[in-house]
Amino acid sequence: IAGITQAPTSQILAAGRRMTLRCTQDMRHNAMYWYRQDLGLGLRLIHYSNTAGTTGKGEVPDGYSVSRANTDDFPLTLASAVPSQTSVYFCASSEAGTGGYEQFFGPGTRLTVL
Amino acid sequence: GQNIDQPTEMTATEGAIVQINCTYQTSGFNGLFWYQQHAGEAPTFLSYNVLDGLEEKGRFSSFLSRSKGYSYLLLKELQMKDSASYLCAHLDSNYQLIWGAGTKLIIKP
C-alpha cells in the first residue's frame, strides 16, 4: 500500500516552461489538496478537490491549474513557470466528512524555477 | 480574518518536557490539528482536538481551549528523534485547514 505518491521527486525548470506535478492516492479518499511550502510561511493551499469532477481555488491559486478526472489522480499544472513558483509542493488527501478531516501527505516535489 | 500563530523556534534538552503553544483567530472553527514534520519530509498527523481539554497519546498530549483560541502540544521524555517542526492547523468553517508557519524544535543532549 503506497498511500500517496508524487512525481517527480525534484525538478529544475526553466522559466516559461510548462510543468505538471503528478499525485496519485490509493486510499479512495474523496478529497485531495495541493499545497506549497516556503520557508517561514507554512503550508499554503493552492487548489483542492472535494470529490472527483470538482475543484476549487485555495489561498494562492494564480499560475496553477488542476483537474480531477477520477478519485485517485490530482495533477497540478504550471502553465508558464516563474521563479516565484520555486517551492516544495505537497499533495494531500482526506476522507473529509465521511471519515474525518485528517490529511495524509505525499512525499513532496521540490521544484526550482530558474 | 483568520490567523494562526506559534513560536518560530524552541530548544529543549533530551529527557525533558516541552510545551509548544498555538493561538488562532477564526470566524469558524471545526477542530485543531497538530502535525510533525522532519526536515525534508512530509508532515505526519499527531493529534486532533475538537472539544476543550487534554488529549493524551503516549509521550504526546494536546490541549484545546476554544474560548481562548488556544492550543498547546506537550512532549514528554524528549528524545533526539523529536527534533522536527511542529505544525498547528485549524479546520475552518469551510473544512479547510489553515496552517501556522510551524515551530522548529531543537533537542540538545
Side-chain angles (χ1 to χ4, degrees):
Chain A
I1 298 175
I4 300 184
T5 58
Q6 292 184 235
T9 302
S10 65
Q11 182 76 43
I12 298 174
L13 190 66
R17 297 297 296 269
R18 180 183 179 88
M19 175 73 192
T20 294
L21 308 185
R22 299 184 298 279
C23 174
T24 300
Q25 53 110 355
D26 63 3
M27 297 178 283
R28 308 302 293 172
H29 285 170
N30 55 313
M32 297 187 75
Y33 313 86
W34 273 106
Y35 292 96
R36 60 178 290 173
Q37 188 175 40
D38 303 289
L39 196 63
L41 292 179
L43 289 161
R44 291 184 292 169
L45 184 65
I46 304 171
H47 284 286
Y48 65 93
S49 169
N50 287 329
T51 189
T54 68
T55 63
K57 294 182 179 180
E59 179 186 356
V60 289
D62 294 344
Y64 306 94
S65 63
V66 291
S67 61
R68 186 88 184 277
N70 57 60
T71 298
D72 299 343
D73 301 299
F74 191 43
L76 176 74
T77 298
L78 289 68
S80 178
V82 295
S84 62
Q85 291 178 311
T86 293
S87 188
V88 179
Y89 291 85
F90 287 104
C91 180
S93 72
S94 77
E95 293 180 299
T98 59
Y101 296 95
E102 175 189 346
Q103 292 186 12
F104 297 82
F105 286 80
T109 294
R110 185 173 296 274
L111 182 67
T112 302
V113 182
L114 302 176
Chain B
Q2 303 191 85
N3 195 22
I4 188 162
D5 293 308
Q6 52 183 129
T8 302
E9 186 174 298
M10 299 181 69
T11 302
T13 304
E14 188 177 16
I17 299 172
V18 71
Q19 177 175 310
I20 303 174
N21 296 324
C22 171
T23 59
Y24 63 88
Q25 297 173 321
T26 180
S27 55
F29 178 82
N30 286 297
L32 194 291
F33 285 84
W34 284 96
Y35 278 74
Q36 181 189 60
Q37 186 177 25
H38 285 100
E41 298 182 7
T44 55
F45 170 80
L46 286 177
S47 68
Y48 172 58
N49 294 65
V50 65
L51 299 176
D52 290 351
L54 187 68
E55 294 274 347
E56 298 186 73
K57 191 183 295 185
R59 292 189 300 114
F60 293 7
S61 303
S62 56
F63 172 84
L64 176 66
S65 170
R66 290 173 295 172
S67 62
K68 296 181 179 179
Y70 168 69
S71 174
Y72 67 72
L73 181 69
L74 190 72
L75 291 75
K76 304 175 186 176
E77 301 170 14
L78 285 169
Q79 301 175 10
M80 297 304 293
K81 68 178 182 180
D82 297 330
S83 292
S85 289
Y86 291 85
L87 314 181
C88 174
H90 73 78
L91 197 62
D92 72 5
S93 56
N94 294 316
Y95 293 92
Q96 300 292 352
L97 280 177
I98 307 300
W99 297 84
T103 298
K104 183 178 180 180
L105 179 63
I106 299 168
I107 310 297
K108 295 186 175 180

